[in-house]
Amino acid sequence: MRSLSTGQSAVNRATEDHEPKFLQAVGMFFDEAAKHSNASLETLKHIKSTDSVLSVTFPMEKDGKTVMIKGYRSQHSRHRLPCKGGIRFASEVDLQEVEALSALMTYKCAVVDVPFGGGKGGIMINPKDWTDAELERITRRFTLELCQKNFIGPGVDVPAPDVGTGPREMGWIADTYRNFNPQDVNGAACVTGKALSLGGVRGRTEATGLGVYYGVREFLSFPEVQKKINHHGKIQDSTVIIQGFGNVGYWAAKFFESNGARVVGIVEHDVAAYNPAGLNIEHLSQWRKENGSFRGFPDAKIVDSPMDLLEAECDVLIPAALERQIGLRNAHKIRAKMIGEAANGPVTPGADAVLRKNGAVIVPDLLLNAGGVCVSYFEWAKNLSHLRFGRMNKRWDERSKEQLLNLVEGNAGRPLSEVERRQMIHGAEEHELVYSGLEDTMIVACNETRQTANAKNIDYRTAAMANSINKIAASLAGSGSIFTHA
């Protein structure tokens, strides 16, 4: 299950009362980027508005009483189909949040060239208050509502995991859809983030965290970034602090650690763990699983005011929790050289301006956390092809490499060891192809963002959003607008 901690108390501490809500913030970032786009005013209005919203209420029995459950699904843009976006289970879910997240999904898909429109859904419950059987009934009932209103389908709208949901819930959704659409041979593609046994793809679980790593690595490699933040440009020996230790934060930490970075701090909702020499991520994760908290972990200093650790000195700060975690109340205290937005909307517009004024580089959410939707695209494509990646070509590639290797050995006059031969002729497995596709996607998108930022002398968030707007505008212009013009 994808869990992103850091609750409302942290949000209140970070933001001023007058700062914009999430939907307004997304709109403000859009408006700023629109000034640097090539789209007309009418096209910008079209892109910014939400196409469709579904709001449902249904009864559910709990402890002998009837509880009314509220659910939403927003389809922000259908310029490309299907719409794509997660379904979250959280008591804070509301229509404004769902619309904002669906808009962000539209821009996110465009910036990394994933051919989807943006969608998002949510059910206003705290999953901890419900049993597994009750959660299954809620999930299946919500899926029924989506089926009845044509808000789900491989070519219509494809949900995915989000806060409070995971492969289990996606499996329930897929099964419910299949029962109501038994004739749909592509029914497995109605949802992504499924377990492997139900048509999932290897590499999906760690995709968002891996994308965060690739994105930060790319931006650190840019000479202008190195000069601005006075950094050596390598992941190795960089210090990293991560807020949130759910799926995204955990995997981001794992990839940073395995590539030589020192993850010196992990911030959770109750406490934070800090070790300037670097935390052992697997040991810390295992400790929390066994004890329910970082408290008592022997190889770190436990910080009782976790938000204070966001203000510690480090090379890279990764907010991987909820939105609005860095606002006007704490932005001026942030000492990180680079902020990588692994969560959606963790920095408010006012805080964004403060951080950039103080010399920090911000890698924006619509680019940095796009790894999840990118690999969801791969899973969707796999389900439509009904074929595992690598199945048709792995052995052929290995035999071709082996023949070439035999020629090389003959000319060199020295046979390779068996280990060397296996390494050189190894054909790509599915997860390796997924990693390769994600890495290429992030490299291309990061460089496109860099080029626009340098050409127009704007920040990376504005550049990424402007690129996204231009791509959506081109799609709309190419397809035309039926029934719009006289």
Short mmCIF file of all heavy atoms in Angstrom, two decimals, residues 218-252:
data_model
loop_
_atom_site.label_atom_id
_atom_site.label_comp_id
_atom_site.label_asym_id
_atom_site.label_seq_id
_atom_site.Cartn_x
_atom_site.Cartn_y
_atom_site.Cartn_z
N GLU A 218 20.01 13.56 -12.96
CA GLU A 218 20.16 14.34 -14.19
C GLU A 218 20.39 15.82 -13.89
O GLU A 218 21.27 16.45 -14.47
CB GLU A 218 18.93 14.16 -15.09
CG GLU A 218 18.85 12.82 -15.75
CD GLU A 218 20.11 12.48 -16.53
OE1 GLU A 218 20.48 13.23 -17.45
OE2 GLU A 218 20.75 11.46 -16.19
N PHE A 219 19.59 16.39 -13.01
CA PHE A 219 19.73 17.82 -12.72
C PHE A 219 21.06 18.13 -12.04
O PHE A 219 21.65 19.18 -12.28
CB PHE A 219 18.55 18.32 -11.89
CG PHE A 219 17.36 18.70 -12.73
CD1 PHE A 219 16.39 17.77 -13.04
CD2 PHE A 219 17.24 19.99 -13.23
CE1 PHE A 219 15.31 18.11 -13.84
CE2 PHE A 219 16.17 20.34 -14.03
CZ PHE A 219 15.19 19.40 -14.35
N LEU A 220 21.54 17.23 -11.20
CA LEU A 220 22.84 17.45 -10.57
C LEU A 220 23.97 17.41 -11.61
O LEU A 220 25.04 17.98 -11.39
CB LEU A 220 23.10 16.40 -9.49
CG LEU A 220 22.36 16.59 -8.16
CD1 LEU A 220 22.69 15.43 -7.22
CD2 LEU A 220 22.69 17.91 -7.51
N SER A 221 23.74 16.75 -12.73
CA SER A 221 24.78 16.64 -13.76
C SER A 221 24.88 17.88 -14.63
O SER A 221 25.85 18.03 -15.38
CB SER A 221 24.51 15.41 -14.65
OG SER A 221 23.41 15.65 -15.53
N PHE A 222 23.91 18.80 -14.55
CA PHE A 222 23.93 20.00 -15.38
C PHE A 222 24.94 21.00 -14.82
O PHE A 222 24.85 21.38 -13.64
CB PHE A 222 22.54 20.64 -15.44
CG PHE A 222 21.48 19.77 -16.05
CD1 PHE A 222 20.13 19.97 -15.73
CD2 PHE A 222 21.79 18.74 -16.93
CE1 PHE A 222 19.14 19.17 -16.28
CE2 PHE A 222 20.81 17.94 -17.49
CZ PHE A 222 19.48 18.15 -17.17
N PRO A 223 25.89 21.47 -15.63
CA PRO A 223 26.91 22.41 -15.13
C PRO A 223 26.33 23.67 -14.50
O PRO A 223 26.85 24.16 -13.49
CB PRO A 223 27.72 22.74 -16.39
CG PRO A 223 27.54 21.55 -17.28
CD PRO A 223 26.14 21.08 -17.03
N GLU A 224 25.25 24.20 -15.08
CA GLU A 224 24.68 25.43 -14.53
C GLU A 224 24.08 25.20 -13.14
O GLU A 224 24.10 26.10 -12.29
CB GLU A 224 23.63 26.02 -15.48
CG GLU A 224 22.42 25.15 -15.74
CD GLU A 224 22.58 24.20 -16.91
OE1 GLU A 224 23.73 23.82 -17.22
OE2 GLU A 224 21.56 23.82 -17.51
N VAL A 225 23.56 24.00 -12.90
CA VAL A 225 23.04 23.66 -11.57
C VAL A 225 24.19 23.51 -10.58
O VAL A 225 24.14 24.02 -9.45
CB VAL A 225 22.18 22.38 -11.63
CG1 VAL A 225 21.83 21.91 -10.21
CG2 VAL A 225 20.92 22.61 -12.43
N GLN A 226 25.24 22.83 -11.01
CA GLN A 226 26.41 22.65 -10.14
C GLN A 226 26.98 24.00 -9.71
O GLN A 226 27.35 24.20 -8.55
CB GLN A 226 27.47 21.84 -10.87
CG GLN A 226 27.06 20.42 -11.20
CD GLN A 226 28.03 19.73 -12.14
OE1 GLN A 226 29.18 20.15 -12.29
NE2 GLN A 226 27.57 18.66 -12.79
N LYS A 227 27.04 24.92 -10.66
CA LYS A 227 27.59 26.24 -10.35
C LYS A 227 26.68 27.01 -9.39
O LYS A 227 27.15 27.65 -8.44
CB LYS A 227 27.77 27.03 -11.65
CG LYS A 227 28.37 28.41 -11.45
CD LYS A 227 28.55 29.13 -12.78
CE LYS A 227 29.14 30.52 -12.57
NZ LYS A 227 29.30 31.24 -13.87
N LYS A 228 25.38 26.91 -9.63
CA LYS A 228 24.44 27.69 -8.82
C LYS A 228 24.41 27.23 -7.38
O LYS A 228 24.33 28.05 -6.45
CB LYS A 228 23.03 27.60 -9.43
CG LYS A 228 22.00 28.42 -8.68
CD LYS A 228 20.68 28.45 -9.41
CE LYS A 228 19.68 29.36 -8.68
NZ LYS A 228 18.39 29.47 -9.41
N ILE A 229 24.44 25.92 -7.15
CA ILE A 229 24.32 25.41 -5.79
C ILE A 229 25.66 24.98 -5.20
O ILE A 229 25.70 24.42 -4.10
CB ILE A 229 23.31 24.24 -5.71
CG1 ILE A 229 23.80 23.02 -6.50
CG2 ILE A 229 21.94 24.69 -6.20
CD1 ILE A 229 22.90 21.80 -6.36
N ASN A 230 26.76 25.20 -5.96
CA ASN A 230 28.10 24.87 -5.48
C ASN A 230 28.18 23.38 -5.10
O ASN A 230 28.47 23.03 -3.95
CB ASN A 230 28.49 25.75 -4.29
CG ASN A 230 29.96 25.60 -3.93
OD1 ASN A 230 30.79 25.24 -4.77
ND2 ASN A 230 30.29 25.85 -2.67
N HIS A 231 27.93 22.53 -6.09
CA HIS A 231 27.88 21.09 -5.86
C HIS A 231 28.77 20.38 -6.87
O HIS A 231 28.95 20.85 -8.00
CB HIS A 231 26.43 20.58 -5.98
CG HIS A 231 26.24 19.17 -5.52
ND1 HIS A 231 26.35 18.09 -6.36
CD2 HIS A 231 25.93 18.67 -4.30
CE1 HIS A 231 26.13 16.98 -5.68
NE2 HIS A 231 25.86 17.30 -4.42
N HIS A 232 29.33 19.24 -6.47
CA HIS A 232 30.25 18.50 -7.34
C HIS A 232 29.55 17.76 -8.48
O HIS A 232 30.21 17.27 -9.40
CB HIS A 232 31.09 17.52 -6.52
CG HIS A 232 30.27 16.64 -5.61
ND1 HIS A 232 29.49 15.60 -6.07
CD2 HIS A 232 30.11 16.67 -4.26
CE1 HIS A 232 28.91 15.01 -5.04
NE2 HIS A 232 29.26 15.64 -3.93
N GLY A 233 28.23 17.65 -8.41
CA GLY A 233 27.48 17.08 -9.53
C GLY A 233 27.29 15.58 -9.50
O GLY A 233 26.70 15.01 -10.43
N LYS A 234 27.78 14.92 -8.47
CA LYS A 234 27.67 13.47 -8.38
C LYS A 234 26.67 13.06 -7.30
O LYS A 234 26.55 13.73 -6.28
CB LYS A 234 29.03 12.84 -8.05
CG LYS A 234 30.15 13.23 -9.01
CD LYS A 234 30.00 12.56 -10.35
CE LYS A 234 31.21 12.84 -11.24
NZ LYS A 234 31.07 12.25 -12.58
N ILE A 235 25.99 11.95 -7.54
CA ILE A 235 25.14 11.38 -6.49
C ILE A 235 25.99 10.88 -5.34
O ILE A 235 25.66 11.05 -4.16
CB ILE A 235 24.27 10.23 -7.06
CG1 ILE A 235 23.18 10.78 -7.98
CG2 ILE A 235 23.65 9.41 -5.92
CD1 ILE A 235 22.09 11.57 -7.28
N GLN A 236 27.11 10.26 -5.68
CA GLN A 236 28.00 9.71 -4.66
C GLN A 236 28.47 10.79 -3.69
O GLN A 236 28.91 11.86 -4.11
CB GLN A 236 29.20 9.03 -5.33
CG GLN A 236 30.06 8.24 -4.36
CD GLN A 236 31.10 7.40 -5.09
OE1 GLN A 236 31.20 7.45 -6.30
NE2 GLN A 236 31.88 6.65 -4.33
N ASP A 237 28.31 10.51 -2.41
CA ASP A 237 28.71 11.40 -1.31
C ASP A 237 27.81 12.62 -1.15
O ASP A 237 28.09 13.48 -0.32
CB ASP A 237 30.17 11.85 -1.44
CG ASP A 237 31.15 10.69 -1.31
OD1 ASP A 237 30.85 9.77 -0.53
OD2 ASP A 237 32.17 10.70 -2.02
N SER A 238 26.74 12.73 -1.93
CA SER A 238 25.75 13.78 -1.69
C SER A 238 24.93 13.42 -0.45
O SER A 238 24.68 12.23 -0.19
CB SER A 238 24.82 13.95 -2.89
OG SER A 238 25.51 14.44 -4.01
N THR A 239 24.53 14.43 0.31
CA THR A 239 23.69 14.18 1.49
C THR A 239 22.23 14.43 1.13
O THR A 239 21.90 15.41 0.47
CB THR A 239 24.11 15.08 2.66
OG1 THR A 239 24.11 16.45 2.23
CG2 THR A 239 25.50 14.71 3.14
N VAL A 240 21.37 13.53 1.58
CA VAL A 240 19.95 13.55 1.21
C VAL A 240 19.09 13.42 2.45
O VAL A 240 19.37 12.60 3.33
CB VAL A 240 19.61 12.40 0.23
CG1 VAL A 240 18.14 12.44 -0.18
CG2 VAL A 240 20.51 12.45 -1.01
N ILE A 241 18.04 14.24 2.53
CA ILE A 241 17.01 14.11 3.57
C ILE A 241 15.68 13.88 2.85
O ILE A 241 15.36 14.58 1.89
CB ILE A 241 16.93 15.36 4.46
CG1 ILE A 241 18.20 15.48 5.31
CG2 ILE A 241 15.70 15.31 5.38
CD1 ILE A 241 18.25 16.75 6.15
N ILE A 242 14.93 12.90 3.33
CA ILE A 242 13.67 12.53 2.69
C ILE A 242 12.53 12.64 3.69
O ILE A 242 12.62 12.11 4.80
CB ILE A 242 13.74 11.09 2.12
CG1 ILE A 242 14.83 11.02 1.04
CG2 ILE A 242 12.39 10.67 1.56
CD1 ILE A 242 15.04 9.64 0.46
N GLN A 243 11.47 13.34 3.30
CA GLN A 243 10.27 13.44 4.14
C GLN A 243 9.25 12.44 3.62
O GLN A 243 8.81 12.51 2.48
CB GLN A 243 9.68 14.85 4.09
CG GLN A 243 8.45 14.99 4.98
CD GLN A 243 7.61 16.19 4.61
OE1 GLN A 243 7.60 16.63 3.47
NE2 GLN A 243 6.88 16.72 5.58
N GLY A 244 8.85 11.51 4.47
CA GLY A 244 7.91 10.47 4.08
C GLY A 244 8.65 9.17 3.84
O GLY A 244 9.64 9.12 3.11
N PHE A 245 8.17 8.09 4.44
CA PHE A 245 8.83 6.79 4.31
C PHE A 245 7.84 5.73 3.86
O PHE A 245 7.91 4.58 4.27
CB PHE A 245 9.50 6.40 5.64
CG PHE A 245 10.67 5.46 5.50
CD1 PHE A 245 11.65 5.68 4.55
CD2 PHE A 245 10.78 4.36 6.33
CE1 PHE A 245 12.74 4.82 4.44
CE2 PHE A 245 11.86 3.50 6.24
CZ PHE A 245 12.84 3.72 5.29
N GLY A 246 6.89 6.18 3.02
CA GLY A 246 5.98 5.23 2.39
C GLY A 246 6.67 4.64 1.18
O GLY A 246 7.89 4.56 1.09
N ASN A 247 5.87 4.22 0.20
CA ASN A 247 6.43 3.57 -0.98
C ASN A 247 7.44 4.46 -1.70
O ASN A 247 8.56 4.05 -2.01
CB ASN A 247 5.29 3.17 -1.92
CG ASN A 247 5.80 2.56 -3.21
OD1 ASN A 247 6.14 3.26 -4.15
ND2 ASN A 247 5.85 1.24 -3.26
N VAL A 248 7.06 5.71 -1.97
CA VAL A 248 7.92 6.61 -2.74
C VAL A 248 9.19 6.95 -1.97
O VAL A 248 10.31 6.84 -2.48
CB VAL A 248 7.16 7.89 -3.13
CG1 VAL A 248 8.08 8.84 -3.89
CG2 VAL A 248 5.94 7.56 -3.97
N GLY A 249 9.03 7.37 -0.71
CA GLY A 249 10.18 7.76 0.09
C GLY A 249 11.14 6.61 0.33
O GLY A 249 12.36 6.77 0.25
N TYR A 250 10.58 5.42 0.59
CA TYR A 250 11.43 4.25 0.85
C TYR A 250 12.27 3.90 -0.37
O TYR A 250 13.50 3.73 -0.27
CB TYR A 250 10.56 3.05 1.24
CG TYR A 250 11.29 1.73 1.21
CD1 TYR A 250 12.17 1.38 2.23
CD2 TYR A 250 11.13 0.83 0.15
CE1 TYR A 250 12.86 0.17 2.20
CE2 TYR A 250 11.80 -0.37 0.12
CZ TYR A 250 12.67 -0.70 1.13
OH TYR A 250 13.36 -1.89 1.10
N TRP A 251 11.62 3.81 -1.54
CA TRP A 251 12.38 3.41 -2.73
C TRP A 251 13.35 4.49 -3.19
O TRP A 251 14.46 4.18 -3.65
CB TRP A 251 11.42 3.00 -3.86
CG TRP A 251 10.86 1.64 -3.66
CD1 TRP A 251 9.59 1.30 -3.30
CD2 TRP A 251 11.57 0.40 -3.78
NE1 TRP A 251 9.45 -0.06 -3.19
CE2 TRP A 251 10.65 -0.64 -3.48
CE3 TRP A 251 12.88 0.07 -4.11
CZ2 TRP A 251 11.01 -1.98 -3.51
CZ3 TRP A 251 13.25 -1.28 -4.13
CH2 TRP A 251 12.32 -2.28 -3.85
N ALA A 252 12.96 5.75 -3.06
CA ALA A 252 13.90 6.82 -3.39
C ALA A 252 15.14 6.71 -2.50
O ALA A 252 16.28 6.81 -2.97
CB ALA A 252 13.24 8.18 -3.21
#
